[in-house]
Amino acid sequence: MALYESIAFALFAVVTLGSALGVVLVRDVWHSALLLGVSLLSVAVHFVMQQAPFVAAMQVLVYVGGVLILITFAIMLTRRDSDTTVDEVGA
Amino acid sequence: MAGIYDLVPAIAALPLASFVIALFAGKDLPKKGALPGILATAGSLALSLAVAVTVFTTGEGFNQNLYTFVAGQDTFSLHLGVLIDPLSALMLVIVSLIATLVHVFSLGYMNDEGETGLPRYYAGLGLFTFSMLSFVFANNILMAFMFFELVGLCSYLLIGFWFREAGPPSAAKKAFLVTRFGDYFFLVGVVAIFATFGTGAFAGSESFPHLAELALEGEYDVNTFFGLGEQAWFTVLGLLVLGGVMGKSAQFPFHTWLPDAMEGPTPVSALIHAATMVAAGVFLVARMYGFYALSPTALAIIALVGGFTALFAATMGVVKQELKQVLAYSTISQYGYMMLALGSGGYVAAVFHLTTHAVFKALLFLGAGSVIIAMHHNENMWDMGGLKDKMPVTYWTFLSGSLALAGIVPFAGFWSKDEVLYEALIHGLGTEGGLGIVLLAAYAMGLLAVFFTGFYTFRMVYLTFHGEPRSDIARDPEPVRWNVKGPLAVLGVLAATVGFINMVPVKKVTGLEIDYLHQFLDMAPEAYLTNVHHYTELLETDAFAGIHAATPLGEVGTVAASAAVSLGLALAGVLAARQLYNAPQPVEHTDRLGRVKTILMHNYYQDEYQVWLARDVTVPFAGVLDTFDQGIVDGVVNGASSVSRTAGRQVRKLQTGVVTNYAALLTLGLVLLLAAFAVVGGWV
Amino acid sequence: MIATEWYLMLSAGLFCIGLLGILMRRNALIFLMSVELMLNAANINLVAFSLQHGNLSGQVFALFGMALAAAEVAVGLGIILVLYRNFGDIDVTSPTTMRW
Amino acid sequence: MWIEALILSTLVASGIVLLAPNRYAGKLAAALSLAPLALSGIMWLNYDAAGNALLGGDMAYETTTRWVEFASYGLNWHVGVDGISMPLIVLTTILTTLAIVSAWTPIDTRQSQFYGLVLFLQAGLLGVFTALDFFVWFIFWEVVLVPMYFLIAIWGGPRRKYAAIKFFVYTNIASLIMFVGFLTLVFSMGPSVRAIDLTQVAQLVRTPGVVEGIAGFSPNTVKLFAFTLMFLGFAVKVPIVPFHTWLPDAHVEAPTPVSVLLAGVLLKMGTYALLRFNFTMLPGVVRDYAALIAVFAVVSVIYGALLALAQQDLKRIVAYSSISSMGYVILGLVAYTTHGVGGATFQMLSHGFISGLMFMVVGVIYNETHTRMVGDMSGMADRMPWTVGIFVAAAFGYMGLPLMSGFAGEVLVFLGSFDSTISPLFTAVAMFGIVIVAGYLLWAMQRTLFGPFDLETEYEIRPRPSTTWHRWWCCCSVWSGWVSTLTSSTV
Amino acid sequence: MTGATLLELPEYAAVAPAVIMIVTALLLLVIDSISPEPGENDRLALNAVAIVGAVTALSVSAWFLVAGTGQTEGPISLFEGALVVDGMALFFSIIVSSVTVLVLLAGYDYAAGDRYQAEYQTLVFLAASGMILLGMANSFVAAFLSLELASLPSYALVAYLKHNRGSVEAGLKYFLVGALSSAVMLYGISLVYGVTGTFQFAAVAEAIADTGLVGILGVGIVMIVGGVAFKTASVPFHFWAPEAYEGAPAPVSAFISSASKAAGFVLAFRLFVTAFPIGVVEGVVDWTLLFLVLSIVTMTLGNFAAATQENVKRMLAYSSVGHAGYVLIALASVTTGSDGYALGAGMAHLLVYGFMNTGAFLFIALTEYWDVGRTFEDFNGLGWEAPVACVAMTVFMFSLAGLPLGGGFVSKYILFGAAVRSGLWWLAVIAAINSALSLYYYSRVVKAMWIDDPEGSFEIESYPVGIYAAIVIAAVVTVLLLPGFGLVSEHASAAASALV
């Protein structure tokens, strides 16, 4: 049990951190937003593993259902037509 | 008889009243303030005479504090008070007499000449007289200092009377500054005397001279400073006070102000030189003679300074062209004699010479004033000549004064100068060690000066009155009125006769007790410890001054020899002058002196180096300080301000406006704090 | 049960990654997302410690945290939109009219 | 309630004048300033206190009311007068009235503000000299800066803004440093002090063993430290060399009536405070470091005088001479003998009157000639005899001529300091100041007042009948008081 | 109403000040929704309601404070200890609501032409309620929630002038730094929770007494300090402040620089005294040392940067940073077994500061209203055009600088005294030098207004009643707080003493 748990934790930890890094590092802000969704969802998995299913549910609802949509919306509103792929130069 | 003594303050208060009246109401008075002045000084004279007579007849004095202006708690108090003893009584008479005559003379010299600013003039005279009289009867050294300074102020005001010209204000400034420089030492001395003895009283058993005497005898404890022994410290004190004396009495090297002071009106010169300012210095030494008599070093220095000044000033008088300049140097020279007398233990001689000098110098100055009126304020003797017949009163009285000055028997100056030299001689011969040698050296210089005195005096007389008139004005001089002649006459008679009050040689020869002045001065009440025999006692105590008299030719022989030598030298001087200058058209013989003439004409470059000290040393030094102050001291202040602003401009740069940088700095700050506190708190 | 330390490390990592995003990127939206990551890191902690301490207050706080994060995003997006309208893009380094 | 009435009447007068029309402001201010003048006069006459109240002397017109409670501390409205402050109060009221009158001619813009600020300044000064609670005192101490800043900066000379801000910031920083010093002393006494009342603090500080260590310092270090900070603070105000450079600028740029108050009263604040705080509370430190302080005093005297010698501007000369004169006060204080302290107190008064008079006279000359440079004029005595006469009188007062008040102060200081814990050499050197002061004043007078008349500026000199009142002022200042010496020397 | 009758009120009535604020905010929204296109009458009504609401909150707070609510009978603890009402909470409630009243008064004219006035006022009220609650917060939950409640409306308020680039830029920077700071703080809270297992301040203090996890606790505490530093605009979390204060509408600048700062400090006071008593955490994080460092850096940076500004508003912004440094002295001076002197001094200074700083920013609002420009030179000669306002501004400036024209003098110096008292005399010296420097730049404003000659003429057409009223009230209170400082100090020191 503990082993599976550990494997699961390790896996999702990698997913969380990896996608978080992706949020920070990818150039396209769209991709960032999507990776943020991945990261937040994997955090929800951690919550479940910590016997906080309600919090996990809220995490999914609030973040993925609310925050991410808001961010997506904002990206749409602020994206300039000319450069659809690259919206920034350098890091 | 306390009654008359209660009026002593009035002697000074009367001229003060005349000062106030002249200052505030002088414009509206008929003689512009002269009349209150004459009345006041005459009143002072009357009171002074009454006081002197009282002292003479009763042999009592008066020594009392009248007003305490600082009451010390647990420490000494400061008072104003009156000390009347023969010395001050005599001086009061002299001062008020001269002042009265000067006031009268001023009517002729100032009023008749139509000067402007007369109320100011008479106010100055009144204040001058007031200050000097108060100084004379001061019973403590602080009060003496106060009026001593005021005398300086008055001289400033009066010398600079003609302020619209360039010369007088400069001369006034110089007079005040040089005497102030001396007064600085005096004030240090005064303060030190208070600190040492806790009192500044002149007379009585609680006076500082007496306490010093007791201290030297080991019967009294005083504070001394700088780790000096008592004798040495008292010498220092005496020398400090002497600084003021030398400044006021124009002793070398502080004499430079006096010739310049001739820029003032001539009656003022008379007052300054004869009775007030210059006399104040010598009077002060006489006043506290009990203190000086304790210190052989101080006495030696006094004598040496006096003798040297007497000779030094006399040589410069030889070449002067202005009438008043000659008189100015003669004044310096004569006060040198007085100092010589004081330094060599001749207290009576000094006072005697002070008295006679007051009379004949006032006379000479007033006479010069008369000549100046006649000459329309041209003072160059080479433009005069032949005035003898045009103004006989002036001539004869002036001659009387000149004879007195030259020391020709039986005029006043002879008796006093002779006594001065005699005292110096016998004490120089009788005293052991360095002091004796110093006294002899001083005597030698004084003796030599006698010749020069005779010479320049009669050079002046011959150039002015004899020969042919050398200018148009001299041919037709302005007549003078009674108000000029009157004072001259009074003084002329006095100059011839006042010497009889103390004919020591005659006494020695004949044995008659005619040394009245000596007796008078010796009448001071015992309790005051200011009488002559007390001084003599002190002088002759070896623990103190240790001055002794010696008469190698016997008393009579010595006195006769001394008188003969000095008279001979004086006559030689007179004859030399006659030889050179008693001609219808005298010529300048000074060229024969060669380079010496240049030096003499420039007064040995004394002015030059003093001016150099002031103008080329002090002022540039102040300028350097000013630069330092503006540059460094103020620079630091301004620098702090600009450093702050520069720092501010740098700090501002931190706020780049880019929010990413803010986040970075914020993170950096947080990390730094975490790191620092991790170390401090020992978290790891 | 996974030891709390691991969660602490996870959250620390997440926090640092968020911080990294803030420091590296100039896009305001990425900035916002990075902040969300940091808040999530705190939430992981809270939930983990809640389990460890056996009380629910940590979870409750985590819920509050989420709500506030959402509100913050809402306000933030509003500001980003006016930023876009005024400055033409959403580069956080472009508005520097005020500095020093 | 006398003191309250005194301060309040000044404040009310200030308010009224501020709102009055410009045309009447001057006369109105003068009239209203008579109220505090009269009050202080009555107080002076009914005065029955003597000595330094902090040392157990008597106190008159004292009132105490609780003002602020804070933690375990209390601040009181505590005012009163004693032998030190009473003369200074009278000095303030007299000088203010005279400054107001002397401003009638030169101040021709924004009069109501000017006079209002002058009266406000007076209120602050009166407060400084009466307050006995530290905080109340400190309020007045600082409030003085405000009107002074405006008075210099609005009505001053060409470099007025620079001078004003320099004065403002320099003296403010000094006050703050002093403040830290005093509080260190107070708090080092731990719970034994519950009110920073000067009388209490002074008593306690002088009680052995009350001062404890603070922040790792030993009691003696604390005392020395507090003394140093307070001394630094007050040294700027006095000012003592080398903290003096605000003064020449401020004096020169300030309009004449303000210079009068600045030199006449404001400088006294520094010495007053030194006396009240440093010398009364920490005599032990004074004893230990007397020589050092005396060096400051002597340097101030000589250095200030020499600088005055180097100046060309009459006002600057007087300004630097003030530094010199205040050096005597410090010398008298540090000697800490009866005559020394008495002389210092009296010197404060006499310098107040005389320097005030000097500034007024220079102001009159400037008003007539529009120059103050020594080289620009000569022979002024020809055209303005009375003014020049007063100038001469004041100058001689400055030189310390006997029978004028300057002498009394100086000579008492000398007498007091010669035989004291400090070496007499200090006194002897400081006394040389009397020669230098004569040097530069006489030099300046000779150049400007005497000699043939000449004026470089094109202004015509009008006859000035209005200087008559100066005469009385002159008498008052120059002769100001052998009588008052009596009282002040009993300090 | 006496204390006895007050006790008859239910305990939860003690949060009334905050509730009144929230209710007023809702009321305003309701009025606005009734009439979305406001006319003159609606404007009056809106402002009347707003001002009445704020004044009510102020009066209730003052009444409670005077009546002794939460003081005589001990602190009133509510919601399981999440909130506490005591003297300090009420004291800060007074500060916040006073500033709110002034800001709203000024807003009457400042936002006169604005269609969204109700929103503006609502945001102000919500932020104010958050600040008041921050003063009452007694657990991390309440603290964090109220902090955000105070912050979020503030972000919006700063960016309120949505067509003004400065305002938007300011809002962005404020928001970004704020979001970062709150994340940092939340993370810190989570760490402390991890160590202690509780959010309750008092319980935290108990729990950390015997914990071994000093490292985590230390990091947590320092991160929480970060959050506090952000709210109080202290270095290094101050970067938002100069821009936010400069760019925001002047009344908002007044609001966040006075009320918000005070709220940040009340949180800090309560947090560090009750949750992390110095006696307990000294070995982990000597936070007095921490605040000492922050204090020195903050005041020095603020004052030095202010000294060289050309823009008056920005100068005030930096000076506000400097003042945060002064108040930090209060925290730095807290010692083991201290008696409330230091904290009381800080509280008193914040109250006085609330009035003088708000007044100063409102004066800027006035000049913005007149459009006279922003630099010192633009103010030249203004004093003779608008004497009343300029006299008030002079009072503010000198009072801020620590000259005795206002209460700022006493409070500032009592604060400096606190440093000396705890042995930090050198801190007091640094503060003194800073204070003197501040005199330099404050006096530049005064110099410009009264002393320098104007270059052109001013075109001042109207004298807005609301702003004038606010400025005059602020000035009068500032002046009266000098003689009347006893009223303030008594409560401040009592509240502080009750806390420690």
Side-chain angles (χ1 to χ4, degrees), chain D residues 279 286 330-337 340-341 413 416-418 420-422:
Chain D
F279 291 92
V286 177
I330 306 296
L331 186 68
L333 289 180
V334 73
Y336 214 63
T337 53
V341 176
V413 165
S417 64
F418 197 90
S420 67
T421 50
I422 57 173

Side-chain angles (χ1 to χ4, degrees), chain B residues 172-196:
Chain B
K173 180 190 73 174
K174 189 171 176 183
F176 192 85
L177 262 186
V178 174
T179 58
R180 181 91 187 195
F181 188 75
D183 286 353
Y184 160 66
F185 297 102
F186 185 10
L187 182 57
V188 176
V190 170
V191 168
I193 283 173
F194 270 95
T196 308

Side-chain angles (χ1 to χ4, degrees), chain B residues 640-684, chain E residues 169 172-173 176-177 180-181 184 214-215 218-219 222-223 226 236-243 283-287 289-290 293-294 300-302 304-305 307-310 314 318 437 440:
Chain B
S641 134
S642 51
V643 162
S644 306
R645 269 181 293 185
T646 314
R649 270 188 285 277
Q650 296 305 320
V651 166
R652 281 175 69 176
K653 296 273 168 62
L654 211 58
Q655 196 84 12
T656 54
V658 180
V659 76
T660 317
N661 293 354
Y662 296 171
L665 286 169
L666 186 157
T667 312
L668 183 70
L670 188 66
V671 169
L672 278 180
L673 284 178
L674 279 171
F677 281 88
V679 172
V680 173
W683 303 340
V684 190
Chain E
E169 177 183 339
L172 177 79
K173 287 175 176 171
L176 291 181
V177 177
L180 176 59
S181 303
V184 169
V214 290
V219 174
V222 173
M223 290 179 107
F237 290 79
H238 72 287
F239 288 103
W240 58 275
E243 269 95 323
V284 182
V285 178
D286 185 0
W287 51 258
L289 180 61
L290 180 58
V293 174
L294 290 191
T300 309
L301 189 141
F304 273 79
T308 51
Q309 297 300 324
E310 297 83 33
R314 196 167 174 84
Y318 274 113
L437 180 65
Y440 163 72

Side-chain angles (χ1 to χ4, degrees), chain D residues 112-275:
Chain D
S112 54
Q113 282 88 1
F114 181 87
Y115 295 106
L117 285 171
V118 168
L119 286 166
F120 187 56
L121 178 70
Q122 185 190 10
L125 291 168
L126 291 174
V128 167
F129 294 133
T130 52
L132 289 168
D133 180 275
F134 174 74
F135 226 94
V136 175
W137 175 85
F138 193 48
I139 284 183
F140 287 118
W141 176 264
E142 289 287 273
V143 90
V144 165
L145 299 183
V146 177
M148 209 49 171
Y149 172 73
F150 285 112
L151 288 171
I152 297 174
I154 298 183
W155 290 274
R159 292 175 74 228
R160 59 187 192 276
K161 291 170 195 169
Y162 167 76
I165 193 73
K166 191 172 181 180
F167 162 77
F168 209 29
V169 175
Y170 203 159
T171 52
N172 181 249
I173 198 166
S175 311
L176 295 181
I177 285 175
M178 173 276 298
F179 174 83
V180 173
F182 184 75
L183 283 198
T184 307
L185 190 62
V186 168
F187 288 130
S188 73
M189 291 186 281
S192 46
V193 174
R194 282 293 166 237
I196 48 178
D197 193 290
L198 294 185
T199 49
Q200 287 182 33
V201 171
Q203 297 291 332
L204 279 168
V205 168
R206 294 167 69 95
T207 315
V210 171
V211 174
E212 299 161 7
I214 186 172
F217 292 140
S218 71
N220 278 336
T221 319
V222 167
K223 283 186 179 178
L224 174 61
F225 174 77
F227 185 91
T228 311
L229 289 197
M230 291 198 287
F231 187 79
L232 281 179
F234 297 136
V236 172
K237 204 81 170 191
V238 172
I240 298 173
V241 173
F243 306 105
H244 63 283
T245 52
W246 62 269
L247 182 131
D249 290 317
H251 271 70
V252 169
E253 297 306 325
T256 301
V258 178
S259 299
V260 169
L261 288 175
L262 193 57
V265 194
L266 251 77
L267 303 191
K268 311 302 168 296
M269 286 166 60
T271 43
Y272 171 81
L274 271 179
L275 179 55

